Amino acid sequence: MKRIFSGVQPTGNLHLGNYLGAIRQFVALQHDYDCIYCVVDLHAITQWQEPGELRNQIRQVAAAYLAAGVDPQRCIIFNQSQVPAHAELAWIFNCVARLGWLNRMTQFKEKAGKHREQASAGLYVYPNLMAADILAYKATHVPVGEDQKQHLELTRDIAQKFNHDYGTEFFPIVEPLILSAAARVMSLRDGSKKMSKSDASDASRLNMTDGPDEVAQKIRRAKTDTELLPGPDVLDPEGNLPDELRKARPEACNLLGIYAALSDRSWVEVLAEFEGQQFSHFKQVLTDLAVALLGPMGEEMQRMAGDPAYVDGILKAGAEKANAIAAPILREAQDIVGFLRP
């Protein structure tokens, strides 16, 4: 079976955008692939994390996987720092990758901003660690969105250069698994801004830890406008919502988009269903759907937050399984490089 590796950083509260953009996809992929899902805590510390909070966030990401439906009997779930092959292979890749390749990485420029000289060295070289995450398991496919395509290309470059330099075909040339475009999830209080874990207002987002009551309350209080809901005639020839309409009616478009994503329906279907209707009716339908889908996940995450030993047990067992795969691959890579293992 083809093998997938993917992960989520344990930084900040997980919200609806994280669920729709990544975690829901993980659940679907587990039926057709050998899946390894990681909590990438080594990546998280490229920027300062409060230690106690980091431990809590690692557990929360693992709990989100489980609550969403990732099956630990079918998939491997673990936190990255507990498998030494990630960091050890990353050092080899630090010596394989070229500075010119890393200088082209746009995410470093975005995260470091104007203070590049004060950014951590880890932030600069973490694409090499990402390559090690994938290749330590000889993963064949990685699910990617637009923001990760560049890093996957670097992984392919590193694998090809390692193989060329050492005259081997050891590492696979990983293929991207292009996911369907994730819903553009915006703030419930301001439809022109992305839903964010850093927003000061908790009412601006649907957290994955929100239970049914919180989900219902936040949607009912979400900002709307006074116009009737549009019909399919507003869509462009490809069936997508034009940016002009998003700018003109950001809150309406955001809630309609959330409904389309949660119901797994197209814009054409959603707008045909609610064309010309008042927001009051639509909001109730959206509330009922969101409570039914998200409420049980929030309750399960809350339950696991009160039982950290359960989550820790899943992570420990997953790390043992992951290490059983990665350690032999690392040892063989070290042998290829020429390291002596007496």
Side-chain angles (χ1 to χ4, degrees):
M1 186 180 288
K2 295 174 181 177
R3 177 173 290 164
I4 278 179
F5 179 93
S6 195
V8 171
Q9 278 205 41
T11 52
N13 292 326
L14 295 174
H15 56 69
L16 180 64
N18 303 118
Y19 170 67
L20 294 175
I23 296 173
R24 183 171 70 165
Q25 312 272 13
F26 292 177
V27 178
L29 291 170
Q30 69 183 337
H31 302 293
D32 299 311
Y33 295 87
D34 174 16
C35 294
I36 300 173
Y37 294 136
C38 188
V39 184
V40 288
D41 49 359
L42 293 177
H43 288 294
I45 65 166
T46 56
Q47 296 176 304
W48 169 253
Q49 306 295 327
E50 196 284 317
E53 185 61 21
L54 177 59
R55 282 187 280 272
N56 290 334
Q57 294 294 345
I58 292 167
R59 289 189 179 109
Q60 188 188 93
V61 172
Y65 291 167
L66 297 167
V70 175
D71 182 355
Q73 301 304 314
R74 183 189 294 265
C75 308
I76 295 176
I77 302 171
F78 70 106
N79 57 310
Q80 182 188 25
S81 62
Q82 298 309 295
V83 177
H86 291 257
E88 293 188 50
L89 188 59
W91 177 254
I92 293 175
F93 289 168
N94 283 343
C95 301
V96 172
R98 305 291 93 178
L99 284 175
W101 301 354
L102 293 175
N103 286 336
R104 292 195 293 270
M105 296 292 107
T106 56
Q107 280 204 9
F108 172 77
K109 298 171 186 175
E110 292 168 1
K111 289 187 177 182
K114 297 178 180 178
H115 307 287
R116 293 183 61 182
E117 297 303 316
Q118 297 178 26
S120 74
L123 185 63
Y124 183 72
V125 299
Y126 95 96
N128 297 338
L129 174 59
M130 186 177 293
D133 297 337
I134 298 163
L135 295 175
Y137 303 94
K138 291 192 174 181
T140 58
H141 291 75
V142 175
V144 292
E146 281 297 323
D147 61 337
Q148 294 298 329
K149 284 183 179 178
Q150 193 180 41
H151 287 150
L152 187 59
E153 283 300 317
L154 180 71
T155 299
R156 290 165 59 90
D157 290 341
I158 288 173
Q160 288 173 327
K161 190 171 192 311
F162 182 96
N163 291 345
H164 176 268
D165 288 353
Y166 292 102
T168 181
E169 295 298 324
F170 184 65
F171 286 118
I173 309 305
V174 187
E175 294 295 331
L177 191 65
I178 306 299
L179 301 175
S180 56
R184 193 186 302 185
V185 183
M186 313 301 278
S187 166
L188 299 178
R189 308 302 297 164
D190 181 350
S192 65
K193 297 179 180 178
K194 285 187 70 174
M195 186 175 288
S196 171
K197 53 197 171 189
S198 61
D199 195 307
S201 173
D202 188 63
S204 69
R205 60 185 169 267
L206 291 172
N207 300 308
M208 286 192 68
T209 52
D210 288 341
D213 291 343
E214 293 122 315
V215 170
Q217 184 178 74
K218 287 180 179 181
I219 293 177
R220 290 190 184 114
R221 294 181 178 178
K223 187 176 179 182
T224 57
D225 59 37
T226 57
E227 299 179 50
L228 299 178
L229 292 171
D233 58 303
V234 301
L235 300 173
D236 66 22
E238 286 74 42
N240 298 314
L241 208 62
D243 286 339
E244 296 77 18
L245 184 61
R246 290 184 186 274
K247 291 177 182 177
R249 302 187 63 185
E251 286 77 26
C253 293
N254 184 38
L255 294 182
L256 286 163
I258 290 173
Y259 180 83
L262 290 177
S263 62
D264 202 19
R265 299 170 71 192
S266 68
W267 277 107
V268 172
E269 293 173 303
V270 170
L271 296 187
E273 179 180 355
F274 295 103
E275 180 177 8
Q277 295 191 25
Q278 299 278 355
F279 250 111
S280 56
H281 170 69
F282 168 71
K283 261 194 171 183
Q284 187 57 54
V285 176
L286 174 59
T287 298
D288 292 343
L289 175 63
V291 167
L293 292 177
L294 304 177
M297 280 195 294
E299 289 180 324
E300 181 63 3
M301 287 189 67
Q302 292 172 24
R303 184 194 70 77
M304 285 187 276
D307 187 10
Y310 171 74
V311 177
D312 290 355
I314 296 289
L315 290 171
K316 181 180 179 182
E320 290 171 354
K321 294 176 185 176
N323 193 59
I325 298 171
I329 294 173
L330 172 65
R331 286 195 296 270
E332 194 170 348
Q334 290 170 332
D335 290 342
I336 292 169
V337 168
F339 293 160
L340 177 64
R341 291 193 291 116

